Structures are given as structure tokens and as C-alpha cells.
């Protein structure tokens, strides 16, 4: 008999359901007696003992379904050690619920913050296995996170759609792409969508270089320019500031996001008609793409194998197309970012894409 607790935490993404289905299918195919406790809305469910007993049937028909059948929420790691408004010790509460239900392990699906808490629970003596989800692809220890490829598809489609209207009107268009503090999503969607300029946090931009790239295109006869700008893109000037100085500067920043600032600066320096499009959370929505369905199913399957072997304390990831087990303590608290000199960046530059650097 295996008793498994499962939860999805942090911002949702495509293929969370596919991954959970993979875990449950692989387990229940090998073992008749499996009890599944689905904690609702992320760590909150584990803290407050809010769960649903689930059976194999609950995971049927969800391979293609976006979102998460368990619900999700953000419970910041830095607040985990702080008591809640009623004085409840959250970490103790999670441990008590785990022991009360006599769980063999927790399967936790999440991104960076989620992994820090998962590792904390491991340090506190709980059996934990994690699966890497996020459209940002910024989890250390795995080449890929599920959700990423689906989000690349959506962001690319957004750029594709902008292309036709930008061409018709001869405009400069900025498409702002999610990704939090890293540029994987913007870089991939930008290349796939044929963006002319790509701005990512790892390569701070110089607005004069951005304008030069637009002018050069126009001087060569192109009537329009597409910029893929990461929501975390930063100017060279701002990148030099300390965290505190930047926070102070941002207090007086009138722009809703970096794209609007870049648009304004382009308008001030040129006579072009500039527009901003922000696909936002559409990038996290809808059905997972086939890659993510396969990938999440493989991860889930390996998680099931780990549970059957009684091996815990791992994130299941992928390296060179092979599914791997990475010790949780190696993953927690580390961010994977785009190396500014990565070959993909060099190749993009060879194609004539400007990074504004
Ligand atoms: O981490 C996934 C992500 O979608 C980021 O790309 C984005 O910055 C953030 O979550 C948005 O968070 P929220 O859904 O809380 O607005």
C-alpha cells in the first residue's frame, strides 16, 4: 500500500495535469493499493489540511487539459517560517498533516519558489519528489521544464499575428513576452516568430542600439520592425544600479511595464508609429503542446518509478533528452538563466537579430 500526497504550487502552466496523470498511471499500473491525497491550491492545502481523496479515474481524460485539477497558489518561501495571521506554524502544520495521513511521500509540482519549500520539507524529514513546471524554463538542474514549449508556441503565435498587421501599417511593434527574470521564452519565441530585435534580462540593452537597429532595417527598405521584449528586460543603465537603487527609481516609473518604456523611448527618438502588445497570461493557458504532453508524461512515469523504489529527495528532470534524477538540495535556490554567449544567442545574431547590446 502506498499513500501519496500531491500538490501543484506557484503560477500554473500547461501539462500540470498531464504530469500528475503520468505519476498516477505509472503507480497504479504497478501497484493495486495506492491512496492519493490531492492537496488543494498548493502548499495552502497541505498547511490547512485541505485535500481531496482521488482515484485513478480522476486522472483520466486530463492529458490535454490546461491548468491544474488541484488548483494552485503562491505561498512565498520567505513567509513559510513566519506564522500565519492566527499564529499557526506553517512548516509544523505541513509536517503534522503529512504524518496524520501516514503519507509515504509528497509529489510536488512547481517552479523555483516551490522547490525551495520542497527542499525545506525534505530537510525536515519528509519524503519528497518534485517535478519541474514553469513556462519560464528557469529551473536549475534540468534542460527543460514542462509548460515552456507550450508557452513558446503561444508567444510565437502572438508574434506571427503581429507580423501581418505590422507589415500592413509599417509600424514598429513590441510584443512583451513573459519569463519573469530570465529570457528563455522571449529568445525562443522571438527567433521562431522572426523578431528583428530581442531584448532579454541577461543581455541589458542600450536604447540607442535598439533605435540604430530599427533605422538600419528601414534604411534597407523594411517598413516595419518587430521587437520581442522580455517582461524582465533591463537597460544597461538600470543593470548597473544596486537592487535598492533600482527599487527607488522604479517608484517614480510611470510605465506599466518595460515595453511601454522602450516604446516611449523609440517614439522620442524616431518618427515611427510604435505599438505594444502584451499576450500576458494567455502564454500559460490552454492545452499543452504535444512536446509537453510527452515530456510531462515521461517525468510523471519516472516519479512513479522512484516512489515504487522508495527513493526520495529528487527532482525528476531531463538532460540531453534523457530523464534524470537530480538531488533536491542541488536544485533549490538556484536560477537557470540564458548565458549571454550561448550558441543560440550567437546564432541569432548571425541571423541579423539585434539584442540591443
Ligand atoms: O513564473 C511564471 C510566470 O508566468 C512568469 O512568467 C510571470 O512573471 C509570473 O509567473 C506572473 O505571475 P502571476 O501569475 O502571479 O501574475
Amino acid at each position: 500500500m502506498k499513500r501519496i500526497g500531491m500538490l501543484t504550487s506557484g503560477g500554473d502552466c500547461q501539462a500540470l495535469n498531464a504530469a500528475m496523470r503520468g505519476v498516477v498511471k505509472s503507480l497504479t499500473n504497478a501497484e493495486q493499493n495506492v491512496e492519493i491525497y490531492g492537496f488543494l491550491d498548493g502548499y495552502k492545502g497541505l498547511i490547512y489540511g485541505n485535500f481531496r481523496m482521488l482515484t485513478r479515474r480522476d486522472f483520466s481524460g486530463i492529458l490535454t487539459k490546461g491548468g491544474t485539477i488541484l488548483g494552485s497558489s503562491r505561498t512565498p518561501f520567505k513567509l513559510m517560517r513566519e506564522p500565519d495571521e492566527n499564529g499557526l506554524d506553517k512548516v509544523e502544520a505541513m509536517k503534522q498533516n503529512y504524518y496524520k495521513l501516514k503519507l509515504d511521500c509528497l509529489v510536488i509540482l512547481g517552479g523555483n519558489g516551490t522547490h525551495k519549500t520542497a527542499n525545506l520539507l525534505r530537510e525536515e524529514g519528509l519524503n519528497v519528489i518534485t517535478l519541474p513546471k514553469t513556462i519560464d524554463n528557469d529551473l536549475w538542474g534540468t534542460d527543460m521544464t514542462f509548460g515552456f514549449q507550450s508557452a513558446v508556441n503561444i508567444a510565437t503565435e502572438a508574434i506571427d499575428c503581429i507580423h501581418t498587421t505590422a507589415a500592413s501599417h509599417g509600424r514598429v511593434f513590441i510584443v512583451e513576452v513573459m519569463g519573469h527574470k530570465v529570457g528563455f521564452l522571449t529568445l525562443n519565441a522571438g527567433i521562431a516568430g522572426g523578431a528583428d530585435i530581442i531584448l532579454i534580462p541577461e543581455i541589458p540593452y542600450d536604447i540607442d542600439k535598439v533605435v540604430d537597429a530599427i533605422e538600419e532595417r528601414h534604411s534597407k527598405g523594411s517598413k516595419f520592425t518587430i521587437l520581442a521584449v522580455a517582461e524582465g528586460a533591463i537597460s544597461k543603465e538600470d543593470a548597473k544600479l544596486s537592487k535598492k537603487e533600482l527599487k527607488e527609481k522604479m517608484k517614480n516609473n510611470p510605465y506599466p511595464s518595460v515595453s511601454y518604456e522602450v516604446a516611449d523611448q523609440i517614439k522620442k527618438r524616431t518618427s515611427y508609429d510604435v505599438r505594444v502588445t502584451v499576450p500576458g497570461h494567455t502564454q500559460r493557458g490552454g492545452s499543452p503542446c504535444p512536446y509537453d504532453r510527452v515530456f510531462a508524461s515521461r517525468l510523471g512515469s519516472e516519479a512513479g518509478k522512484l516512489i515504487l523504489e522508495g527513493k526520495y529527495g529528487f527532482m525528476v528532470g531531463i538532460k540531453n533528452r534523457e530523464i534524470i534524477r537530480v538531488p533536491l538540495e542541488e536544485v533549490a535556490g538556484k536560477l537557470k538563466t540564458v548565458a549571454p554567449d550561448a550558441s543560440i544567442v550567437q546564432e541569432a545574431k548571425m541571423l541579423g537579430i539585434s539584442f540591443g547590446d
Side-chain angles (χ1 to χ4, degrees):
M1 155 78 107
K2 292 275 181 201
R3 299 161 82 98
I4 311 301
M6 193 139 61
L7 65 89
T8 53
S9 173
D12 74 342
C13 71
Q14 304 87 342
L16 278 163
N17 290 325
M20 291 193 277
R21 171 184 173 272
V23 178
V24 172
K25 264 188 177 279
S26 65
L27 269 179
T28 52
N29 280 336
E31 166 106 31
Q32 287 298 311
N33 254 335
V34 182
E35 279 185 0
I36 302 150
Y37 297 77
F39 292 99
L40 305 181
D41 302 332
Y43 285 115
K44 268 191 204 162
L46 183 58
I47 295 168
Y48 299 107
N50 197 6
F51 63 86
R52 268 174 57 205
M53 293 288 302
L54 301 167
T55 68
R56 194 183 154 97
R57 248 170 293 137
D58 291 298
F59 296 88
S60 175
I62 63 168
L63 174 65
T64 60
K65 208 171 161 215
T68 158
I69 59 166
L70 296 181
S72 193
S73 67
R74 292 192 189 278
T75 317
F77 175 70
K78 61 178 181 211
L79 297 183
M80 279 298 180
R81 286 288 186 194
E82 283 183 23
D84 77 356
E85 57 280 13
N86 299 314
L88 182 82
D89 181 327
K90 295 173 201 142
V91 177
E92 273 314 305
M94 287 193 277
K95 285 165 67 180
Q96 275 173 27
N97 283 321
Y98 178 95
Y99 290 123
K100 203 159 67 192
L101 296 172
K102 298 191 175 66
L103 297 180
D104 287 297
C105 89
L106 284 170
V107 178
I108 298 176
L109 294 83
N112 269 309
T114 302
H115 274 77
K116 286 193 218 166
T117 300
N119 190 45
L120 169 71
L121 294 177
R122 181 196 63 80
E123 286 167 351
E124 290 287 327
L126 307 193
N127 292 331
V128 178
I129 291 170
T130 65
L131 299 181
K133 72 90 234 202
T134 168
I135 64 165
D136 304 338
N137 193 28
D138 59 352
L139 256 175
W140 194 91
T142 181
D143 287 348
M144 189 76 73
T145 56
F146 61 86
F148 174 69
Q149 291 293 350
S150 303
V152 169
N153 286 1
I154 296 171
T156 302
E157 255 173 53
I159 300 172
D160 287 350
C161 291
I162 288 302
H163 241 109
T164 54
T165 177
S168 307
H169 290 268
R171 284 172 170 162
V172 172
F173 253 101
I174 298 179
V175 181
E176 184 172 289
V177 181
M178 271 189 170
H180 199 44
K181 291 179 181 159
V182 306
F184 290 108
L185 190 49
T186 310
L187 180 59
N188 283 272
I191 295 172
D196 310 296
I197 300 170
I198 295 177
L199 305 184
I200 59 173
E202 295 88 340
I203 306 177
Y205 66 86
D206 174 343
I207 194 64
D208 292 325
K209 295 270 170 60
V210 172
V211 170
D212 286 351
I214 299 171
E215 300 282 20
E216 197 189 328
R217 264 181 65 75
H218 285 239
S219 72
K220 286 182 180 159
S222 301
K223 275 173 57 198
F224 69 97
T225 297
I226 309 269
L227 289 87
V229 174
E231 62 177 351
I234 187 165
S235 66
K236 280 191 193 291
E237 196 191 351
D238 285 353
K240 283 188 198 132
L241 301 177
S242 68
K243 250 188 182 175
K244 201 173 154 205
E245 287 167 333
L246 190 60
K247 211 171 163 191
E248 203 51 43
K249 189 179 168 189
M250 284 318 219
K251 279 186 191 161
N252 305 314
N253 185 324
Y255 303 106
S257 68
V258 62
S259 295
Y260 292 91
E261 185 174 354
V262 172
D264 206 27
Q265 288 170 324
I266 297 171
K267 274 186 212 161
K268 281 182 184 145
R269 286 167 167 77
T270 68
S271 56
Y272 302 125
D273 204 5
V274 189
R275 293 286 190 278
V276 175
T277 293
V278 184
H281 287 74
T282 60
Q283 293 162 95
R284 264 172 34 191
S287 193
C289 67
Y291 178 94
D292 274 337
R293 295 180 199 181
V294 175
F295 179 36
S297 300
R298 290 181 70 191
L299 294 173
S301 174
E302 180 69 7
K305 198 167 167 200
L306 276 167
I307 296 167
L308 292 167
E309 290 171 3
K311 291 187 181 145
Y312 305 110
F314 293 99
M315 176 188 81
V316 184
I318 192 164
K319 213 103 265 125
N320 302 327
R321 298 195 202 156
E322 293 299 326
I323 297 297
I324 53 163
R325 303 165 173 191
V326 193
L328 256 180
E329 65 266 34
E330 286 179 20
V331 176
K334 288 189 206 154
L335 194 69
K336 186 179 73 187
T337 57
V338 176
D341 60 351
S343 59
I344 186 170
V345 174
Q346 305 309 323
E347 288 140 15
K349 284 184 175 175
M350 290 288 290
L351 297 173
I353 297 172
S354 165
F355 285 78
D357 58 338

